[in-house]
Structure formats: C-alpha cells, structure tokens
Amino acid sequence: MAWFWTGIMFAFLGAITMLINQRYRLDGHLISGMRGVGVGILFFPAVFFVEFPKSPLFWGLVLLEAFISTFYNARIYAAAARYGAGSTSRINVLSIAFGLVFWWILDSQRFFRLWADQFAFWGILVSLIVVGAGFYLMHKSSSADRPGELAFMMPAVVVLAGMMINRKEIMEHAEFFSAAVYYCTAAIFLSGVFNLIVYGLKNSFADLKDRLGEIGIVEVGVFMALASSGTIFFGNMSSLYVPDPAYISAFTLTTPVWVMAINRFFGIKDSVSPVSVAVMFLGLAFLLYFASAPTY
C-alpha cells in the first residue's frame, strides 16, 4: 500500500503547483518551461549515482513523455491562471475514466482477469461511479464555470490519462531510481525546453530573454520547480507500485480538496459542498479496497 501514501503526496504537491500559477498568473508555456528546465537541473546531479538505462524502449517512452507533457503542463497551468486552481483541479480529475478505459484497451488480459472476478470488477466500477458522483457534486456546488473552461481543459484531461500509463511503462523499463532520475533530467527537462521555444515563437525570443531576466519571474520558476520535483518523484513511485494507472488518477480527486483547504486558509473564496467531499472520499476508500482484491 506504499502507492497510497505516495499518491496522497502526489496530489498535495500537484495542488501546490496549480496554486502557484493561480497566484502569479504567468503564461502557461513560460511557467511550464521554467518548471521543466528547473526540475531537470535539480535532478541532474543524481545521474552520477544511478545506472544509465540502456533500453531503447525506455528512451522512446521518455521522448514521447517529453512531447505530451509539453502540451499538458502548459495547458494545466494556463487554466490555473485563467480559471483558478480549484476549478482546474476539479475538471482535471475526469482523467480517471479515460485512464481506466485506455489501460483496459492496452492490457486486455488484465481486463479479462478482472472480469473473471465479478466481485472485484463491479466493486471497482461502482467505486469509480461514486468517485465520479462526488466530483460532479463538488464541481456543481463550486463557483460557476467561466465560458469555455471545460472545452479548454478537456484535451489536457485526455492527455493526462495517457501520460499516467506512459509513466508507468517508463518506470517498468529501467531500475526505479534510474528511471526516476532520467525521467526528470530528460523528459521533463526537454518538455521545459520545448515550452520555452513555443513561448519564444508565440511572442518573441527577445521577450523571452527579458522575462527570464526578471528576478520575480525567476523566483516563480524556482518555486514551481521545487514543488514539481516532489510531485514527479511521488508520482513516479506511485506509478511503479500501483496495480492500475487509473488509481493514480483517482488520487487527483484529492487535489481539489487540498486546493480548497489552502484557498480557504488564505481567504480565497472557492466554496464546495462538504457532502460532495464526503462522497468522493467514500468512493476512494472503496476503490482502495477493491484495488487490493487478490485476483487483481
């Protein structure tokens, strides 16, 4: 059950990263670029203490992760700046359903093994339905959506489901610490570089240079890199040990609760019904139980 506690930390630190750009409202590509490069720099010294992964598949998956995380991170932090961390985190949890379907398509044998145990199968489905109901009630009871919010976030939701599956595959094709280190120094670093290039192309590289020369902007990048380093580390650990990547997506359901709590602590209005929170955690508790079913 180590993946439970690492999943909680993954969700908490994920909330912190969204709240950072809710506070500073930087361009999504800019803050994601600084985040990626910063994470790569922070993890780089560790490459001298881990084995170099030799699997071509590992490096192919890492490169794929760099491209898809370039889009996802820019979109999620842009949404946090535009719509707020609370609303963004609530929509983001829709990746659970997509992740479950994607994983069953990619690993049909796992699906049929689960189907053979009807108790576990229906238990997981009902749990996810309860979790989804909690999400719906939470989102409905929160502040009204701004126009275009769901459409803006939906591509990121689908991409996140694929990212969680790809991350699990990366962790399984190399020794864990080697995979975790090179995931950050290669995939995340490259995603940062790609996002900075995109920002430069959309605006100008002169503007990019000026922005990176501002102390306040660099400080935000450092904060984001530190929080993201923890998020990635715990996310990788969870991906390694969890029986299904959809369960990691389930932990993102606690991210809106962390966002709500921190916003409330600082007096930022983002009211959510306590009943919806209780329903969500009830579904998560049942999901944890059925996820541990012996046949699964």
Side-chain angles (χ1 to χ4, degrees):
M1 294 294 289
W3 57 274
F4 174 80
W5 301 109
T6 55
I8 289 294
M9 289 303 300
F10 167 69
F12 173 75
L13 291 173
I16 297 298
T17 62
M18 292 185 194
L19 286 163
I20 289 174
N21 213 34
Q22 174 184 273
R23 167 67 177 81
Y24 294 101
R25 300 184 185 280
L26 298 184
D27 177 90
H29 293 290
L30 178 61
I31 194 168
S32 297
M34 293 189 296
R35 164 197 177 270
V37 171
V39 168
I41 292 172
L42 286 172
F43 274 85
F44 180 73
V47 303
F48 299 104
F49 302 96
V50 297
E51 181 182 356
F52 182 82
K54 298 180 176 61
S55 169
L57 180 57
F58 172 86
W59 289 107
L61 294 171
V62 162
L63 186 59
L64 174 62
E65 188 79 0
F67 281 112
I68 58 180
S69 65
T70 297
F71 169 79
Y72 171 76
N73 288 304
R75 181 59 61 97
I76 196 74
Y77 297 130
R82 185 182 301 183
Y83 303 112
S87 183
T88 298
S89 63
R90 286 188 286 273
I91 296 176
N92 205 38
V93 302
L94 292 174
S95 60
I96 295 171
F98 290 100
L100 188 64
V101 173
F102 288 171
W103 188 246
W104 283 350
I105 292 173
L106 291 172
D107 191 352
S108 58
Q109 291 184 348
R110 181 183 294 269
F111 171 80
F112 287 117
R113 286 198 304 270
L114 180 61
W115 176 257
D117 185 344
Q118 290 290 293
F119 176 73
F121 178 82
W122 289 107
I124 288 173
L125 282 187
V126 171
S127 299
L128 288 173
I129 290 172
V130 173
V131 164
F135 158 76
Y136 173 78
L137 293 173
M138 180 182 293
H139 195 62
K140 186 177 180 180
S141 66
S142 66
S143 55
D145 289 347
R146 296 174 178 84
E149 180 181 12
L150 190 60
F152 183 81
M153 276 292 298
M154 190 53 64
V157 168
V158 177
V159 167
L160 175 59
M163 280 177 59
M164 297 309 299
I165 294 173
N166 192 58
R167 179 184 293 182
K168 182 173 176 63
E169 291 298 310
I170 289 173
M171 293 300 107
E172 291 181 348
H173 283 84
E175 188 272 331
F176 171 69
F177 288 105
S178 295
V181 168
Y182 280 99
Y183 175 86
C184 292
T185 56
I188 303 304
F189 178 80
L190 285 175
S191 74
V193 172
F194 294 158
N195 265 313
L196 290 178
I197 292 173
V198 172
Y199 179 86
L201 292 173
K202 288 178 60 178
N203 300 276
S204 73
F205 287 99
D207 179 68
L208 174 61
K209 181 180 177 181
D210 291 341
R211 297 289 276 171
L212 295 179
E214 298 179 27
I215 298 299
I217 298 295
V218 174
E219 287 179 349
V220 176
V222 171
F223 296 153
M224 182 65 80
L226 290 172
S228 294
S229 293
T231 304
I232 293 166
F233 176 78
F234 287 111
N236 286 342
M237 288 195 68
S238 297
S239 298
L240 177 66
Y241 295 113
V242 74
D244 191 314
Y247 303 151
I248 301 299
S249 296
F251 276 108
T252 64
L253 281 167
T254 65
T255 298
V257 179
W258 295 118
V259 170
M260 177 184 66
I262 297 171
N263 274 336
R264 185 165 296 180
F265 178 80
F266 286 103
I268 300 173
K269 185 178 180 181
D270 187 16
S271 58
V272 177
S273 166
V275 173
S276 66
V277 177
V279 170
M280 184 192 69
F281 276 109
L282 180 64
L284 185 57
F286 280 116
L287 177 61
L288 290 171
Y289 172 77
F290 289 109
S292 302
T295 58
Y296 193 62

